Amino acid sequence: MTFFIILGEMSGLYIHIPFCASRCIYCAFYSTTRHELKDRYVDALCREMAMRRNDGESPHPRTLYIGGGTPSQLSALQIHRILDNADSVFGLSGIEEATIECNPDDINGEFLSGIRDTAINRISIGIQSLDDGILELIHRRHTAAEALYAIELCKSAGFSNISADLIYGLPGQTCDSFQRDLQTLADLGTPHISAYCLSYEEGTPLHMMLADGRIHQAPDDVCADMYTILCNTLKDNGYWHYEISNFCRPGYRSQHNSSYWNRTEYIGLGAAAHSFDGIIRRWNISDIDKYITGILSGNPSFGQERLTDSDRYNETLMLSLRTSDGLSINDIQHDFGKDAVGRLLSSAAEWIESGDLILSDDGRMRLTESGLFRSDGIVSSMFID
């Protein structure tokens, strides 16, 4: 099979802030509670920006995302310093969307006014649940009332582009309570909602609690019912289901995350951050001490891999089929050749017959809503070695 490499310009800049006030029991992302390192970490971030000034074909990002960890654990002054430096190195004048992740308990008038005059124009709030008992179980530091108040504070401060994160399949959660959470957020006018099925990641306290029998995993059929409730409730409230776990009102699709699913180039800065240039994936070391020491000494610690032809094909399937846009048959032929199209159609046949995949008249292959919930198994069955 013959493949062709298609490169584009850099779309996104991702900045990882690993600090958390405390660890949630389900979280497997790299984070730390060592707040005494914040200033040195910001120093290292600014230094890494200078070191990577010439990464990518186009140095000017279109989107910016500050994720974590909990970026709102930084002060507004530290956030200003990071963004001022990013502007001087990469140029942020062309930024269309700049997101910062926040926990509800970090959001107050002082913080919001402190970041209001930066490039940030979108706030993603980690709510996870509006059930106080569940929030306490998973070690969230906020209550349901504080989460809802945080949304109102953001709106009052002039931030109209707000996203709320939820988790379903949580211990003790019911279909009715999950639907109430969704309806409450929709009634508040929250323009973007992301909802993820709980996963029990090895090495997390949640995984240990499951192994010890202290909690019980929600059955697959219950999680499937919750996914149906998620899709139907938000559709009934005017949301567009544009990606497996993401829903928005018109005009509020996440541009930065969409660039990941389109396999657009991006640069990731900070400990554990990933980058992609169309061919090579690179990741910084997941150790704050080694990250800071390496960057400040001029010897950064990172790994990288060059994607094979099969990797690129499989990633295209996996990422495109996550979205409502689906997978373009014409693009597959253009990027990977005619033989790839034949193989794709052959591997997709059983799923088209089962109703989990559809091939529309516009030459795009898409997962149906039933297929989206089972997407991991479906898409992996279509991979090539």
Side-chain angles (χ1 to χ4, degrees):
M1 196 181 294
T2 301
F3 294 87
F4 305 92
I5 298 169
I6 307 299
L7 294 177
E9 65 177 23
M10 183 178 81
S11 172
L13 184 64
Y14 174 80
I15 300 173
H16 189 71
I17 307 298
F19 301 103
C20 287
S22 59
R23 293 273 296 176
C24 300
I25 63 171
Y26 55 83
C27 184
F29 291 114
Y30 178 68
S31 65
T32 180
T33 57
R34 296 173 60 198
H35 295 268
E36 72 277 7
L37 295 177
K38 284 179 182 177
D39 285 333
R40 289 195 71 222
Y41 187 77
V42 172
D43 290 342
L45 272 177
C46 293
R47 174 64 180 146
E48 187 186 5
M49 290 178 197
M51 296 169 69
R52 303 184 64 186
R53 180 187 298 270
N54 297 318
D55 284 13
E57 288 189 356
S58 169
H60 304 299
R62 184 175 57 82
T63 65
L64 168 71
Y65 197 102
I66 306 175
T70 313
S72 53
Q73 282 287 292
L74 293 186
S75 68
L77 188 62
Q78 288 167 326
I79 293 168
H80 266 270
R81 186 180 168 211
I82 291 168
L83 292 178
D84 288 346
N85 200 74
D87 186 34
S88 67
V89 173
F90 299 107
L92 301 185
S93 60
I95 288 288
E96 298 170 15
E97 176 191 273
T99 303
I100 186 169
E101 291 182 346
C102 298
N103 273 1
D105 42 299
D106 293 328
I107 294 175
N108 55 50
E110 181 181 359
F111 177 80
L112 293 171
S113 63
I115 65 170
R116 191 68 189 90
D117 60 347
T118 68
I120 294 168
N121 56 21
R122 184 174 184 267
I123 296 181
S124 178
I125 307 175
I127 291 175
Q128 316 316 353
S129 174
L130 292 175
D131 181 304
D132 285 339
I134 291 175
L135 290 171
E136 183 176 358
L137 171 68
I138 61 176
H139 291 193
R140 298 295 289 174
R141 293 180 294 114
H142 62 86
T143 65
E146 287 170 338
L148 299 177
Y149 182 57
I151 294 175
E152 296 295 353
L153 279 177
C154 290
K155 291 194 286 189
S156 298
F159 290 96
S160 59
N161 197 349
I162 301 167
S163 180
D165 279 6
L166 291 176
I167 299 175
Y168 62 95
L170 289 159
Q173 189 179 44
T174 66
C175 289
D176 286 343
S177 69
F178 181 54
Q179 184 168 27
R180 284 195 299 272
D181 290 356
L182 293 166
Q183 192 61 56
T184 298
L185 291 175
D187 289 344
L188 273 180
T190 313
H192 189 283
I193 295 174
S194 300
Y196 305 93
C197 189
L198 179 67
S199 60
Y200 290 79
E201 301 290 343
E202 194 168 347
T204 62
L206 184 73
H207 186 270
M208 289 184 276
M209 291 169 70
L210 180 67
D212 293 345
R214 286 177 283 164
I215 57 173
H216 300 284
Q217 188 169 358
D220 287 346
D221 60 338
V222 173
C223 291
D225 289 344
M226 287 185 175
Y227 190 72
T228 299
I229 289 168
L230 169 67
C231 297
N232 291 343
T233 301
L234 294 184
K235 180 181 178 181
D236 291 345
N237 282 274
Y239 288 80
W240 172 34
H241 188 184
Y242 72 93
E243 192 269 345
I244 288 178
S245 303
N246 287 275
F247 303 76
C248 69
R249 294 260 170 85
Y252 288 96
R253 178 173 179 158
S254 170
Q255 296 181 49
H256 183 87
N257 288 338
S258 294
S259 71
Y260 294 150
W261 305 319
N262 294 333
R263 298 186 76 248
T264 307
E265 293 182 22
Y266 59 90
I267 293 175
L269 305 167
H274 285 233
S275 304
F276 179 58
D277 70 0
I279 304 173
I280 294 173
R281 289 201 182 278
R282 164 178 166 156
W283 53 92
N284 288 340
I285 191 166
S286 298
D287 182 305
I288 192 167
D289 292 303
K290 291 180 180 178
Y291 168 77
I292 292 173
T293 300
I295 292 292
L296 295 183
S297 67
N299 296 295
S301 297
F302 64 91
Q304 64 180 29
E305 65 174 343
R306 176 177 288 268
L307 300 185
T308 66
D309 295 340
S310 297
D311 290 336
R312 287 191 289 274
Y313 175 84
N314 292 341
E315 278 198 2
T316 299
L317 264 62
M318 178 183 67
L319 296 172
S320 297
L321 288 174
R322 293 181 64 91
T323 70
S324 61
D325 297 330
L327 180 68
S328 166
I329 302 300
N330 287 337
D331 287 350
I332 290 293
Q333 180 166 326
H334 181 268
D335 295 350
F336 302 106
K338 249 183 197 179
D339 289 347
V341 173
R343 184 159 185 168
L344 170 66
L345 294 176
S346 176
S347 64
E350 65 172 299
W351 303 113
I352 292 173
E353 187 172 343
S354 70
D356 292 303
L357 268 177
I358 56 172
L359 182 59
S360 55
D361 293 338
D362 62 358
R364 302 192 78 89
M365 187 177 290
R366 298 176 176 88
L367 286 164
T368 61
E369 285 196 351
S370 64
L372 283 170
F373 183 72
R374 302 193 294 128
S375 63
D376 287 348
I378 294 170
V379 175
S380 63
S381 75
M382 297 161 62
F383 285 170
I384 60 174
D385 297 328

